[in-house]
Amino acid sequence: MLSLGNAFSREDVLEFVARIEQMLGHGGIEFSVEPKLDGLAISLRYEHGRLVYAATRGDGVTGEDVSHSVRTIKAVPLVLAPGSGWPEVLEVRGEVYMPRAGFHEFNRRARERGDKELVNPRNGAAGSLRQLDSKITAGRPLSFFAYGVGVGADGLAVATHGELMDRLASWGFPVTTERRVVQGVQGLHDYFTEIGEKRPGLPYDIDGVVYKVNRLDWQ
């Protein structure tokens, strides 16, 4: 699970799109775009439709086993929707996060009890997953969004990232409703502006937006 490349200006985005157009030999590239949640990246391994393992991204190669904690998150399906064509082995990648409302409610109750408050939603999510006692994790307001597939992607017979997200949703995974398909630099810029305006009202923290080439065979 590699880390994402960063773009901090319109010029960086122009260079990003230009590299892709040069590599593919044409313009008019469609991108799948979505908010970048400020949480903790997780890999979920399913075998025969059942969750068998969950790990953090770690250094991209070796992560931390957090299966006991992830199983307590209601948004993570323990068993995939039946009869929907999932592969024998499937690795779903996504983000565990703490919704803003849950974060504020948790801290309100902590203040009433005289307990330590969480610093921010991201630290709250990461610390909750790393609890040795899964009962503590179960008491934390955690949620999950899926954003991709690792092992098992080759056999899904989908052509675009958007179709992949629809397939994950059909198996019971929550996916963001803020995802879009846009074209070219202007489409990326317009989406960035849109999410920037929506950011204060989103029910979760974000730390940017993610741009992916929509055609899976071009990624």
Side-chain angles (χ1 to χ4, degrees), residues 1 40-44 53-70 125-132:
M1 296 177 66
L40 190 68
I42 291 291
S43 169
L44 307 173
Y53 197 84
T56 64
R57 191 183 75 84
D59 61 4
V61 176
T62 303
E64 180 180 356
D65 181 357
V66 290
S67 304
H68 64 294
S69 296
V70 167
S128 297
L129 276 187
R130 292 189 170 105
Q131 294 291 332
L132 297 179

Side-chain angles (χ1 to χ4, degrees), residues 171-212:
W171 292 334
F173 293 98
V175 297
T176 178
T177 58
E178 299 295 336
R179 59 194 175 95
R180 304 278 190 278
V181 174
V182 302
Q183 191 170 31
V185 173
Q186 190 59 48
L188 297 177
H189 176 74
D190 290 346
Y191 180 78
F192 180 84
T193 301
E194 175 191 345
I195 291 299
E197 293 172 350
K198 288 184 175 181
R199 185 178 187 179
L202 292 174
Y204 42 76
D205 281 354
I206 65 173
D207 56 355
V209 296
V210 179
Y211 302 150
K212 301 176 182 178

Side-chain angles (χ1 to χ4, degrees), residues 72-94:
T72 70
I73 301 174
K74 294 180 180 179
V76 174
L78 302 181
V79 179
L80 302 185
S84 50
W86 27 261
E88 182 177 316
V89 177
L90 175 70
E91 179 207 354
V92 175
R93 298 175 179 181

Side-chain angles (χ1 to χ4, degrees), residues 1-218:
M1 296 177 66
L2 302 179
S3 59
L4 298 174
N6 294 319
F8 297 103
S9 67
R10 186 178 177 88
E11 288 70 28
D12 290 342
V13 175
L14 285 168
E15 291 177 5
F16 166 67
V17 174
R19 288 198 304 271
I20 293 173
E21 290 178 343
Q22 182 177 19
M23 179 178 64
L24 298 177
H26 62 82
I29 309 300
E30 278 193 346
F31 294 92
S32 179
V33 294
E34 60 193 72
K36 183 178 180 297
L37 272 72
D38 196 10
L40 190 68
I42 291 291
S43 169
L44 307 173
R45 181 181 175 91
Y46 290 80
E47 295 180 3
H48 305 286
R50 294 183 177 274
L51 178 65
V52 297
Y53 197 84
T56 64
R57 191 183 75 84
D59 61 4
V61 176
T62 303
E64 180 180 356
D65 181 357
V66 290
S67 304
H68 64 294
S69 296
V70 167
R71 288 180 179 276
T72 70
I73 301 174
K74 294 180 180 179
V76 174
L78 302 181
V79 179
L80 302 185
S84 50
W86 27 261
E88 182 177 316
V89 177
L90 175 70
E91 179 207 354
V92 175
R93 298 175 179 181
E95 196 89 358
V96 170
Y97 68 98
M98 184 173 288
R100 287 173 173 172
F103 168 77
H104 292 304
E105 177 61 16
F106 181 92
N107 277 352
R108 183 188 69 78
R109 294 180 179 179
R111 287 193 297 271
E112 290 179 351
R113 297 190 302 264
D115 294 341
K116 185 178 180 180
E117 296 180 41
L118 301 174
V119 176
N120 55 54
R122 184 184 190 283
N123 287 353
S128 297
L129 276 187
R130 292 189 170 105
Q131 294 291 332
L132 297 179
D133 185 352
S134 61
K135 292 181 180 178
I136 297 177
T137 308
R140 301 288 176 87
L142 299 178
S143 195
F144 173 80
F145 273 139
Y147 58 64
V149 171
V151 176
D154 294 342
L156 297 185
V158 293
T160 68
H161 184 76
E163 291 175 2
L164 175 62
M165 292 298 97
D166 291 340
R167 184 71 59 86
L168 289 175
S170 75
W171 292 334
F173 293 98
V175 297
T176 178
T177 58
E178 299 295 336
R179 59 194 175 95
R180 304 278 190 278
V181 174
V182 302
Q183 191 170 31
V185 173
Q186 190 59 48
L188 297 177
H189 176 74
D190 290 346
Y191 180 78
F192 180 84
T193 301
E194 175 191 345
I195 291 299
E197 293 172 350
K198 288 184 175 181
R199 185 178 187 179
L202 292 174
Y204 42 76
D205 281 354
I206 65 173
D207 56 355
V209 296
V210 179
Y211 302 150
K212 301 176 182 178
V213 176
N214 195 37
R215 282 277 300 275
L216 294 177
D217 58 349
W218 290 350

